[in-house]
mmCIF file of all heavy atoms in Angstrom:
data_model
loop_
_atom_site.group_PDB
_atom_site.id
_atom_site.type_symbol
_atom_site.label_atom_id
_atom_site.label_comp_id
_atom_site.label_asym_id
_atom_site.label_seq_id
_atom_site.Cartn_x
_atom_site.Cartn_y
_atom_site.Cartn_z
ATOM 1 N N VAL J 40 -0.897 -24.213 16.010
ATOM 2 C CA VAL J 40 0.431 -24.299 15.297
ATOM 3 C C VAL J 40 0.411 -23.401 13.984
ATOM 4 O O VAL J 40 1.447 -22.730 13.855
ATOM 5 C CB VAL J 40 0.674 -25.834 14.883
ATOM 6 C CG1 VAL J 40 1.887 -25.975 14.076
ATOM 7 C CG2 VAL J 40 0.752 -26.638 16.165
ATOM 8 N N LEU J 41 -0.616 -23.451 13.243
ATOM 9 C CA LEU J 41 -0.624 -22.616 12.054
ATOM 10 C C LEU J 41 -0.592 -21.162 12.436
ATOM 11 O O LEU J 41 0.071 -20.282 11.784
ATOM 12 C CB LEU J 41 -1.891 -22.899 11.276
ATOM 13 C CG LEU J 41 -1.896 -24.313 10.541
ATOM 14 C CD1 LEU J 41 -3.195 -24.555 9.856
ATOM 15 C CD2 LEU J 41 -0.787 -24.467 9.635
ATOM 16 N N SER J 42 -1.195 -20.763 13.521
ATOM 17 C CA SER J 42 -1.275 -19.354 13.991
ATOM 18 C C SER J 42 0.169 -18.949 14.358
ATOM 19 O O SER J 42 0.590 -17.871 13.976
ATOM 20 C CB SER J 42 -2.196 -19.189 15.241
ATOM 21 O OG SER J 42 -3.476 -19.282 14.888
ATOM 22 N N LEU J 43 0.865 -19.830 15.064
ATOM 23 C CA LEU J 43 2.242 -19.433 15.458
ATOM 24 C C LEU J 43 3.205 -19.389 14.199
ATOM 25 O O LEU J 43 4.083 -18.553 14.123
ATOM 26 C CB LEU J 43 2.769 -20.380 16.512
ATOM 27 C CG LEU J 43 4.083 -19.813 17.241
ATOM 28 C CD1 LEU J 43 3.718 -18.485 17.886
ATOM 29 C CD2 LEU J 43 4.483 -20.827 18.395
ATOM 30 N N ARG J 44 2.933 -20.307 13.247
ATOM 31 C CA ARG J 44 3.693 -20.218 12.050
ATOM 32 C C ARG J 44 3.429 -18.920 11.222
ATOM 33 O O ARG J 44 4.425 -18.368 10.725
ATOM 34 C CB ARG J 44 3.339 -21.381 11.115
ATOM 35 C CG ARG J 44 3.998 -22.706 11.459
ATOM 36 C CD ARG J 44 4.080 -23.623 10.289
ATOM 37 N NE ARG J 44 4.827 -24.849 10.673
ATOM 38 C CZ ARG J 44 6.198 -24.724 10.628
ATOM 39 N NH1 ARG J 44 6.800 -23.689 10.272
ATOM 40 N NH2 ARG J 44 6.818 -25.878 10.994
ATOM 41 N N THR J 45 2.217 -18.493 11.301
ATOM 42 C CA THR J 45 1.967 -17.097 10.578
ATOM 43 C C THR J 45 2.711 -15.995 11.265
ATOM 44 O O THR J 45 3.316 -15.161 10.727
ATOM 45 C CB THR J 45 0.484 -16.769 10.517
ATOM 46 O OG1 THR J 45 -0.102 -16.609 11.850
ATOM 47 C CG2 THR J 45 -0.335 -17.779 9.718
ATOM 48 N N LYS J 46 2.769 -16.114 12.595
ATOM 49 C CA LYS J 46 3.584 -15.142 13.404
ATOM 50 C C LYS J 46 5.028 -15.171 13.062
ATOM 51 O O LYS J 46 5.700 -14.103 12.787
ATOM 52 C CB LYS J 46 3.341 -15.313 14.915
ATOM 53 C CG LYS J 46 4.062 -14.297 15.791
ATOM 54 C CD LYS J 46 3.741 -14.597 17.202
ATOM 55 C CE LYS J 46 4.460 -13.614 18.168
ATOM 56 N NZ LYS J 46 4.140 -13.843 19.562
ATOM 57 N N TYR J 48 6.387 -16.420 10.193
ATOM 58 C CA TYR J 48 6.621 -16.040 8.822
ATOM 59 C C TYR J 48 6.470 -14.451 8.617
ATOM 60 O O TYR J 48 7.156 -13.886 7.811
ATOM 61 C CB TYR J 48 5.673 -16.751 7.832
ATOM 62 C CG TYR J 48 5.941 -18.247 7.864
ATOM 63 C CD1 TYR J 48 4.879 -19.138 7.614
ATOM 64 C CD2 TYR J 48 7.186 -18.808 8.045
ATOM 65 C CE1 TYR J 48 5.085 -20.527 7.651
ATOM 66 C CE2 TYR J 48 7.381 -20.175 8.001
ATOM 67 C CZ TYR J 48 6.342 -21.020 7.847
ATOM 68 O OH TYR J 48 6.519 -22.416 7.836
ATOM 69 N N TRP J 54 6.825 -13.868 2.679
ATOM 70 C CA TRP J 54 5.385 -13.551 2.280
ATOM 71 C C TRP J 54 4.774 -14.746 1.638
ATOM 72 O O TRP J 54 3.561 -14.988 1.798
ATOM 73 C CB TRP J 54 5.485 -12.347 1.404
ATOM 74 C CG TRP J 54 6.198 -11.219 1.944
ATOM 75 C CD1 TRP J 54 7.207 -10.459 1.340
ATOM 76 C CD2 TRP J 54 5.956 -10.614 3.235
ATOM 77 N NE1 TRP J 54 7.653 -9.564 2.261
ATOM 78 C CE2 TRP J 54 6.924 -9.553 3.397
ATOM 79 C CE3 TRP J 54 5.128 -10.850 4.314
ATOM 80 C CZ2 TRP J 54 7.032 -8.735 4.557
ATOM 81 C CZ3 TRP J 54 5.172 -10.032 5.433
ATOM 82 C CH2 TRP J 54 6.154 -9.005 5.591
ATOM 83 N N GLU J 55 5.556 -15.546 0.899
ATOM 84 C CA GLU J 55 4.947 -16.734 0.278
ATOM 85 C C GLU J 55 4.470 -17.732 1.296
ATOM 86 O O GLU J 55 3.282 -18.177 1.171
ATOM 87 C CB GLU J 55 5.936 -17.412 -0.765
ATOM 88 C CG GLU J 55 6.214 -16.527 -2.011
ATOM 89 C CD GLU J 55 7.313 -15.553 -1.744
ATOM 90 O OE1 GLU J 55 7.966 -15.459 -0.595
ATOM 91 O OE2 GLU J 55 7.580 -14.646 -2.680
ATOM 92 N N LEU J 56 5.281 -18.045 2.213
ATOM 93 C CA LEU J 56 4.889 -18.949 3.305
ATOM 94 C C LEU J 56 3.823 -18.402 4.171
ATOM 95 O O LEU J 56 2.889 -19.136 4.585
ATOM 96 C CB LEU J 56 6.092 -19.455 4.134
ATOM 97 C CG LEU J 56 7.074 -20.438 3.511
ATOM 98 C CD1 LEU J 56 8.244 -20.725 4.411
ATOM 99 C CD2 LEU J 56 6.348 -21.720 3.118
ATOM 100 N N LEU J 57 3.887 -17.185 4.421
ATOM 101 C CA LEU J 57 2.768 -16.434 5.222
ATOM 102 C C LEU J 57 1.499 -16.593 4.559
ATOM 103 O O LEU J 57 0.454 -16.934 5.100
ATOM 104 C CB LEU J 57 3.175 -14.982 5.514
ATOM 105 C CG LEU J 57 2.089 -14.234 6.294
ATOM 106 C CD1 LEU J 57 1.813 -14.881 7.627
ATOM 107 C CD2 LEU J 57 2.571 -12.804 6.465
ATOM 108 N N ALA J 58 1.507 -16.247 3.231
ATOM 109 C CA ALA J 58 0.287 -16.354 2.423
ATOM 110 C C ALA J 58 -0.335 -17.742 2.412
ATOM 111 O O ALA J 58 -1.592 -17.910 2.702
ATOM 112 C CB ALA J 58 0.470 -15.876 1.067
ATOM 113 N N ALA J 59 0.494 -18.721 2.209
ATOM 114 C CA ALA J 59 0.019 -20.140 2.131
ATOM 115 C C ALA J 59 -0.571 -20.577 3.567
ATOM 116 O O ALA J 59 -1.539 -21.293 3.591
ATOM 117 C CB ALA J 59 1.143 -21.050 1.583
ATOM 118 N N THR J 60 0.219 -20.281 4.572
ATOM 119 C CA THR J 60 -0.156 -20.730 5.905
ATOM 120 C C THR J 60 -1.407 -20.013 6.352
ATOM 121 O O THR J 60 -2.319 -20.586 6.955
ATOM 122 C CB THR J 60 0.949 -20.507 6.902
ATOM 123 O OG1 THR J 60 2.203 -21.226 6.383
ATOM 124 C CG2 THR J 60 0.675 -21.108 8.241
ATOM 125 N N ALA J 61 -1.445 -18.712 6.128
ATOM 126 C CA ALA J 61 -2.660 -17.891 6.601
ATOM 127 C C ALA J 61 -3.896 -18.310 5.831
ATOM 128 O O ALA J 61 -5.004 -18.329 6.413
ATOM 129 C CB ALA J 61 -2.365 -16.446 6.457
ATOM 130 N N LYS J 62 -3.725 -18.634 4.577
ATOM 131 C CA LYS J 62 -4.806 -19.083 3.700
ATOM 132 C C LYS J 62 -5.345 -20.427 4.291
ATOM 133 O O LYS J 62 -6.629 -20.503 4.488
ATOM 134 C CB LYS J 62 -4.365 -19.346 2.246
ATOM 135 C CG LYS J 62 -5.418 -19.933 1.432
ATOM 136 C CD LYS J 62 -4.949 -20.217 -0.003
ATOM 137 C CE LYS J 62 -5.990 -20.834 -0.832
ATOM 138 N NZ LYS J 62 -5.469 -21.080 -2.257
ATOM 139 N N GLN J 63 -4.461 -21.330 4.603
ATOM 140 C CA GLN J 63 -4.988 -22.535 5.197
ATOM 141 C C GLN J 63 -5.675 -22.385 6.483
ATOM 142 O O GLN J 63 -6.737 -22.901 6.824
ATOM 143 C CB GLN J 63 -3.748 -23.591 5.366
ATOM 144 C CG GLN J 63 -4.154 -24.907 5.946
ATOM 145 C CD GLN J 63 -3.028 -25.862 5.978
ATOM 146 O OE1 GLN J 63 -1.887 -25.564 5.568
ATOM 147 N NE2 GLN J 63 -3.295 -27.018 6.543
ATOM 148 N N LEU J 64 -5.086 -21.464 7.306
ATOM 149 C CA LEU J 64 -5.621 -21.173 8.598
ATOM 150 C C LEU J 64 -7.137 -20.519 8.418
ATOM 151 O O LEU J 64 -8.025 -20.815 9.144
ATOM 152 C CB LEU J 64 -4.736 -20.274 9.511
ATOM 153 C CG LEU J 64 -5.172 -20.011 10.835
ATOM 154 C CD1 LEU J 64 -5.387 -21.230 11.654
ATOM 155 C CD2 LEU J 64 -4.110 -19.066 11.557
ATOM 156 N N ALA J 65 -7.191 -19.561 7.517
ATOM 157 C CA ALA J 65 -8.487 -18.825 7.362
ATOM 158 C C ALA J 65 -9.557 -19.834 6.825
ATOM 159 O O ALA J 65 -10.708 -19.699 7.206
ATOM 160 C CB ALA J 65 -8.217 -17.682 6.354
ATOM 161 N N GLN J 66 -9.096 -20.799 6.023
ATOM 162 C CA GLN J 66 -10.082 -21.712 5.397
ATOM 163 C C GLN J 66 -10.557 -22.691 6.552
ATOM 164 O O GLN J 66 -11.776 -23.109 6.547
ATOM 165 C CB GLN J 66 -9.479 -22.466 4.227
ATOM 166 C CG GLN J 66 -9.342 -21.538 2.991
ATOM 167 C CD GLN J 66 -8.567 -22.137 1.897
ATOM 168 O OE1 GLN J 66 -7.879 -23.080 2.067
ATOM 169 N NE2 GLN J 66 -8.875 -21.659 0.678
ATOM 170 N N ALA J 74 -5.937 -14.567 10.721
ATOM 171 C CA ALA J 74 -5.685 -15.364 9.526
ATOM 172 C C ALA J 74 -5.943 -14.552 8.290
ATOM 173 O O ALA J 74 -5.131 -14.482 7.312
ATOM 174 C CB ALA J 74 -6.350 -16.643 9.570
ATOM 175 N N TRP J 78 -3.152 -13.115 5.717
ATOM 176 C CA TRP J 78 -3.187 -13.623 4.344
ATOM 177 C C TRP J 78 -3.232 -12.463 3.344
ATOM 178 O O TRP J 78 -2.410 -12.380 2.357
ATOM 179 C CB TRP J 78 -4.454 -14.497 4.128
ATOM 180 C CG TRP J 78 -4.714 -15.198 2.840
ATOM 181 C CD1 TRP J 78 -3.823 -15.247 1.806
ATOM 182 C CD2 TRP J 78 -5.907 -15.849 2.457
ATOM 183 N NE1 TRP J 78 -4.429 -15.901 0.748
ATOM 184 C CE2 TRP J 78 -5.715 -16.351 1.141
ATOM 185 C CE3 TRP J 78 -7.115 -16.175 3.144
ATOM 186 C CZ2 TRP J 78 -6.660 -17.071 0.410
ATOM 187 C CZ3 TRP J 78 -8.034 -16.883 2.443
ATOM 188 C CH2 TRP J 78 -7.809 -17.361 1.145
#
Side-chain angles (χ1 to χ4, degrees):
V40 175
L41 292 175
S42 288
L43 198 56
R44 280 202 172 280
T45 64
K46 183 177 179 179
Y48 297 147
W54 309 125
E55 292 82 7
L56 285 177
L57 177 58
T60 305
K62 175 183 179 180
Q63 183 173 355
L64 185 59
Q66 290 173 338
W78 183 9

